[in-house]
Every structure is written in C-alpha cells, then in structure tokens.
Amino acid sequence: MNQSLSGIKILDFSGPAGFYCSKLLADLGAEVVIVENPSDELFNNLGPYYNDIKDPNYSLYRWHFHTNKKSVALNISNPKDKETLDSLIKHADVFIDTLTHQEANSLDLSMENVRALNPHIVHTRITGFPDNSEYSGFKYTDMTVLAMSGLMSITGFPEDPPNQMGGEQAYHMASLNAAIGTMISILERELTGTGKDVSVSIQECASMSTLQTANFNYYTWHGINRGRNGLNHPFSDQGPSYDEDRNFPRVLYESKDGWVAHAAHLAPPGAWKNFVKWLSDYDSQQDLDDPKFENHETRNLFQNHINDVMKSHCAKLTKQEIYHSAQKLKILVIPINSVKDLTEDEQLIYRGYFEKVFHKDLNTEITYPGAPYQMKKTPWKIKSPAPKVGENTQQVLSEWLNQ
C-alpha cells in the first residue's frame, strides 16, 4: 500500500531543529536521506544511550528522530564531498537545512545557490531567525528561541524565574510548520512544475503560541502584559478593569500520586450540583453543600475557599480515582500524565499509538511513539529503525547518482 509521500526524495541537511520535520515526512513514505559528518561534535551530545552504550548509533534521541531514514556520511569541508552533496541536491525533490544566513553563504548553500543547482526543488530552511532579517546571523538553541518567543515569560510561578518547557518545544513547533509548508509546496510543484522556498522562523512559530490566544488582545486592548500564574487560571489577577472582581478557579491540584487539572471555568450550567455531589461521595464537601453556594456571585466571593476544599479533596485520592469519578459526573478534571502514565494510558493503547520496532543488530523489539494521526488509505508507518551513521552511503550514491 502506497503512503502519502511515496516516491518523494528528500535530502536532509538539518540539525536538531529540523529532525522532527524530516521524520514526519519519512514516516509518511518519503525517501529521506540524512547527510551526516561523523566528526561533528553534535555526535558527542546525543544521549541518553541504549544500555549506556556511548555511541551515536545507540542514541535514543537518534533512534526516535531518524526512523525510516537513510544515512550518508559526508564531510563537506572536503571539496569532493561538497561536490557529492551538490549532486544529491540536483536529484532531490526536497532539501531541508537549518543553516543560518552566514553558514549557508560560507557553504555556497544560499537559497539562490540551491535554486541554481535544482530549479524544481522544494527548499525548506528552518532557522531561529530567517534570512535577511535583523537577527539572521545569530546562533540559536531551543531555549534561546523559547525565551525570545515570550513563552518562557508565562511559564512557571510568579515568584520564580521564567521556566523552560521540556522536550525541545520550539524545535517541534518549527518542524511541524516546516513539514506542512513542505507538503503544500510539493503539491504546488505537482500542479505547476515550479519549485518553492519555504523559510521557517523558529521564533515566529513559538511566538505564535504566545500570541495566538487572548494574550495579544489583552495587551493591545487593555495594556495587560501577562505573566506567570503557577497553579492558577492563566488570566487570574490579570484581567481588564471591567473584570477585576472576577475570581477565576484554581486549575492545578496535587493528588496522592501526582497532579490533576480542573477546568472549572469551562463547566456547563448546572455543573455546581454535580461538583458538590462528587465531593460529598468522598465526604469532602465541607460547607459547600450550603444552598448559598448555588449562587454564582457567592461562589465568586468564596473562590479561594472553594479552591482549598478542592485541594483537600484531591489530596485524598490518586489521579486515576479523581479522573474517573469526576468524568462520571461530567466534571472536567483530568490527570497530568508522566511519560510512564502515557505508556499505560487507555486511550493511547486503544488507538494502537505505540509501535514495536525490531532492531536486527540487537535482536530485540523497542517500543516507539506512534503516529500523531491515522490515515487508512495512505498509512503512517515505521518501516525501519534509525540507520547507523553512514550506513547507506554507497546505496544512495549508487541509486541517486549511479556512482
């Protein structure tokens, strides 16, 4: 069965900011060839490692991001290898890189030079700051771009410094947008025969997550510069003047074995009675069954007290006990899952989210995260684990260049 991108040749010259982009495309059936220099210092920082074998070929990071790809070893400071890279670009449908403006120029891989090598190519460049911009030459990391996006300023507790989000979120946001832009450009090339340049700014992708909510309008309309709210609702104590008397419910509560999130501000009409019943089932209601609390304005005045009652209630139960008992009464409480929780999550298991991938050299199966979507006619699939560094050099040079 064909996949969505079967027959598309992609040359991946990216770093960590682009790894997820090419993974998404490879897992949809594209032939993705990563160009790697084994002497690059990046290979010394790819942990953690399988069974603590400190070899890039046993990097769990590498395993995750390079499924379904092929690896070609080239050192493009060597003129012959640079010539080989240029030849591969000429035969590729897509070229992905994460080069700054200066790096690209030093390697003769500017947008213009790549287009000259292959007029029909889709060239996707993922950088912290795009070419010909004020910061185009600046180095970047996931954390520095997260900082400049504004996301760190609203993450954490108000009394603490800004917090970094885990899991290279800025890189992932950029890669998702890059993959979408690349696929749209492939489709347009199929229709028009014209290659396209796709320029992706990691700062802009991450900033979109900060601004594409009420945050931007709160600032432009009311002059409110949102900050960190810790366990509370994002807009608590930071509303406009006409809303200054509103007390938002607290959002996060600690349970016996972790944390849960309570979206009380989204509760439908009549939810209060169910909330009190839920607490009463565990003798946690305290005085909240008093009829006076059926009045919304009264609850608003006593919101801190309601938060304290909820805090005491959650402390008595596990995350799953809270989650399932609340859901039965249509109360919006959900567990905050750890990685371990995700591997045991009923919904993900039902959807067949996790994939078993056989590693021939280890003679064992390793569990991988699965598809972020399901398509029946053109399925997402992990067909092979990450290649060893340079494993496919001769194969690719033979198939692509007849060498």
Side-chain angles (χ1 to χ4, degrees):
M1 183 180 292
N2 282 339
Q3 294 181 268
S4 301
L5 297 179
S6 294
I8 298 295
K9 293 182 176 181
I10 297 177
L11 192 63
D12 181 5
F13 194 62
S14 72
F19 287 168
Y20 189 53
C21 171
S22 57
K23 171 182 167 58
L24 288 169
L25 303 175
D27 293 347
L28 285 173
E31 180 184 3
V32 175
V33 174
I34 51 175
V35 178
E36 304 186 278
N37 180 359
S39 63
D40 194 312
E41 65 179 52
L42 171 66
F43 285 93
N44 298 319
N45 298 285
L46 288 175
Y49 299 93
Y50 178 77
N51 282 351
D52 206 28
I53 303 171
K54 294 185 178 180
D55 180 312
N57 292 314
Y58 292 92
S59 161
L60 301 182
Y61 186 93
R62 176 185 181 83
W63 285 5
H64 170 68
F65 284 110
H66 291 337
T67 53
N68 290 333
K69 300 180 186 180
K70 297 175 181 177
S71 173
V72 168
L74 294 175
N75 179 359
I76 62 169
S77 62
N78 180 308
K80 183 178 179 181
D81 281 3
K82 176 58 168 64
E83 184 179 330
T84 299
L85 176 68
D86 291 346
S87 296
L88 290 170
I89 291 173
K90 292 177 182 178
H91 288 79
D93 297 298
V94 178
F95 181 60
I96 302 171
D97 72 61
T98 51
L99 300 170
T100 67
H101 186 63
Q102 285 82 349
E103 288 170 340
N105 286 339
S106 70
L107 297 172
D108 291 327
L109 291 174
S110 65
M111 289 287 196
E112 295 78 13
N113 287 351
V114 171
R115 179 71 48 216
L117 287 169
N118 185 344
H120 302 291
I121 202 166
V122 172
H123 182 189
T124 299
R125 173 160 292 163
I126 307 167
T127 56
F129 316 98
D131 288 0
N132 302 318
S133 67
E134 192 72 18
Y135 300 153
S136 62
F138 285 20
K139 295 283 189 178
Y140 61 88
T141 64
D142 179 82
M143 185 177 72
T144 59
V145 183
L146 275 178
M148 293 190 71
S149 75
L151 275 175
M152 288 177 64
S153 72
I154 58 174
T155 304
F157 288 83
E159 65 272 17
D160 291 339
N163 282 201
Q164 179 186 9
M165 289 171 286
E168 297 186 330
Q169 294 304 310
Y171 286 173
H172 278 72
M173 285 183 264
S175 273
L176 283 167
N177 282 279
I180 293 167
T182 300
M183 287 189 285
I184 292 172
S185 297
I186 291 171
L187 177 60
E188 182 175 355
R189 192 189 64 177
E190 292 293 316
L191 297 173
T192 67
T194 304
K196 292 291 180 182
D197 292 333
V198 181
S199 177
V200 179
S201 162
I202 305 173
Q203 183 196 22
E204 291 169 17
C205 291
S207 294
M208 185 170 63
S209 295
T210 307
L211 300 176
Q212 294 281 46
T213 62
N215 298 335
F216 187 61
N217 290 339
Y218 264 45
Y219 179 72
T220 56
W221 295 350
H222 305 294
I224 296 170
N225 194 16
R226 268 200 59 209
R228 297 176 296 287
N229 279 292
L231 304 179
N232 299 315
H233 183 278
F235 297 121
S236 60
D237 301 324
Q238 296 184 35
S241 57
Y242 62 78
D243 206 22
E244 62 186 9
D245 294 328
R246 183 179 178 189
N247 291 320
F248 285 89
R250 180 173 157 182
V251 175
L252 302 180
Y253 293 91
E254 190 169 12
S255 69
K256 286 174 68 175
D257 61 348
W259 292 82
V260 296
H262 181 205
H265 60 291
L266 297 176
W272 177 255
K273 289 184 178 180
N274 282 355
F275 179 68
V276 173
K277 181 184 184 310
W278 179 50
L279 297 179
S280 300
D281 287 344
Y282 295 91
D283 196 26
S284 298
Q285 75 281 7
Q286 298 185 31
D287 61 344
L288 297 189
D289 55 1
D290 188 315
K292 73 178 183 181
F293 287 109
E294 294 178 12
N295 180 275
H296 174 74
E297 292 183 1
T298 300
R299 294 201 300 274
N300 185 59
L301 291 173
F302 286 87
Q303 187 60 62
N304 289 336
H305 172 59
I306 296 171
N307 293 344
D308 290 339
V309 174
M310 179 65 168
K311 178 181 178 181
S312 298
H313 171 63
C314 290
K316 300 192 300 186
L317 304 171
T318 66
K319 291 188 295 186
Q320 291 300 315
E321 288 171 338
I322 294 169
Y323 172 48
H324 290 293
S325 60
Q327 290 290 324
K328 287 178 181 177
L329 293 170
K330 303 186 185 303
I331 298 169
L332 298 175
V333 183
I334 56 174
I336 296 177
N337 286 331
S338 66
V339 173
K340 179 179 181 295
D341 295 329
L342 289 174
T343 64
E344 300 168 353
D345 185 84
E346 295 173 344
Q347 172 70 9
L348 295 180
I349 292 172
Y350 177 81
R351 291 275 290 173
Y353 177 72
F354 294 100
E355 295 268 334
K356 296 284 189 182
V357 178
F358 183 70
H359 284 244
K360 186 177 180 180
D361 58 329
L362 301 173
N363 194 32
T364 190
E365 286 187 327
I366 304 293
T367 302
Y368 281 70
Y373 36 71
Q374 293 187 6
M375 299 184 292
K376 291 183 179 179
K377 292 185 178 180
T378 54
W380 177 103
K381 185 176 179 58
I382 296 180
K383 295 177 288 188
S384 62
K388 289 182 167 54
V389 178
E391 178 180 343
N392 311 103
T393 302
Q394 293 305 315
Q395 175 193 355
V396 171
L397 297 186
S398 172
E399 293 176 355
W400 285 35
L401 308 179
N402 293 319
Q403 290 186 5

